[in-house]
Amino acid sequence: MKRPMTSLGAIILCGGGSRRMGRDKALLDWDGRRAVDRVADLARTAGADALITAGADLGLPWVPDDEAGAGPVGGVLAGARALGTARLLVLAVDAPTVTAEDLAPLLASGGFYEGLPVPMVVEAAALPADAEAGWPLRRLVERAGLTALPVPEGALARLRGANTPEELEALSRR
């Protein structure tokens, strides 16, 4: 069932296997809160009228990936269909320290940061009709015609997030 059209919907990508981390990144504790909850709050702060997690049922509205294990594009596509919003804010659950200020340039103009396909802001209508699960995110970004913005000063570690225990420790200290 599609939700009514709203201006901005957020998709939180949660479907990865967390192999390098060794445990589910969405459930990692960040100052007493699950990573997924911090990212959901960020999406709301950024103005998302609706949000969905893609790939895992974590107690929030969710949708399964189009194809399990086929990468994040399936989550983006499934989330876009489920949300039915005009614009999409795509966030990674493994980057729970991203700030609203980090997202402001993306929200103002759309696009993504150089070298980092997420976070991204994309018009739903710009998603390629032939996009499919298994595509690299970079292909989706390119085919959607998104603009690469420079990474804000000091934001790179927050935007990259934590994919390994070592990255988790380093990001937690910041």
Side-chain angles (χ1 to χ4, degrees):
M1 177 174 152
K2 280 197 173 190
R3 296 191 172 130
M5 185 63 87
T6 58
S7 59
L8 180 68
I11 301 167
I12 304 171
L13 300 175
C14 301
S18 299
R19 286 177 294 281
R20 290 182 287 162
M21 182 63 73
R23 54 191 169 146
D24 190 339
K25 294 182 279 187
L27 303 177
L28 290 175
D29 183 287
W30 290 87
D31 296 326
R33 300 187 61 227
R34 298 181 312 168
V36 69
D37 296 323
R38 284 183 59 125
V39 176
D41 285 347
L42 171 65
R44 291 181 194 107
T45 298
D49 299 310
L51 70 88
I52 199 158
T53 61
D57 180 359
L58 297 160
L60 298 166
W62 78 285
V63 63
D65 287 342
D66 275 352
E67 187 178 318
V73 171
V76 172
L77 298 174
R81 283 192 305 275
L83 286 169
T85 57
R87 290 179 86 206
L88 303 165
L89 169 62
V90 181
L91 300 165
V93 76
D94 59 11
T97 59
V98 169
T99 66
E101 293 76 24
D102 294 333
L103 297 178
L106 298 177
L107 292 164
S109 64
F112 66 104
Y113 288 120
E114 293 172 344
L116 303 168
V118 288
M120 79 169 89
V121 174
V122 59
E123 297 292 325
L127 292 174
D130 63 341
E132 55 189 56
W135 273 20
L137 269 174
R138 293 188 193 288
R139 181 184 299 167
L140 182 74
V141 163
E142 180 181 290
R143 296 279 306 278
L146 298 182
T147 301
L149 302 176
V151 174
E153 183 76 28
L156 185 59
R158 288 190 304 271
L159 294 168
R160 274 200 180 131
N163 287 294
T164 66
E166 295 78 21
E167 290 171 348
L168 172 63
E169 184 179 330
L171 201 53
S172 294
R173 286 185 296 214
R174 291 178 174 242

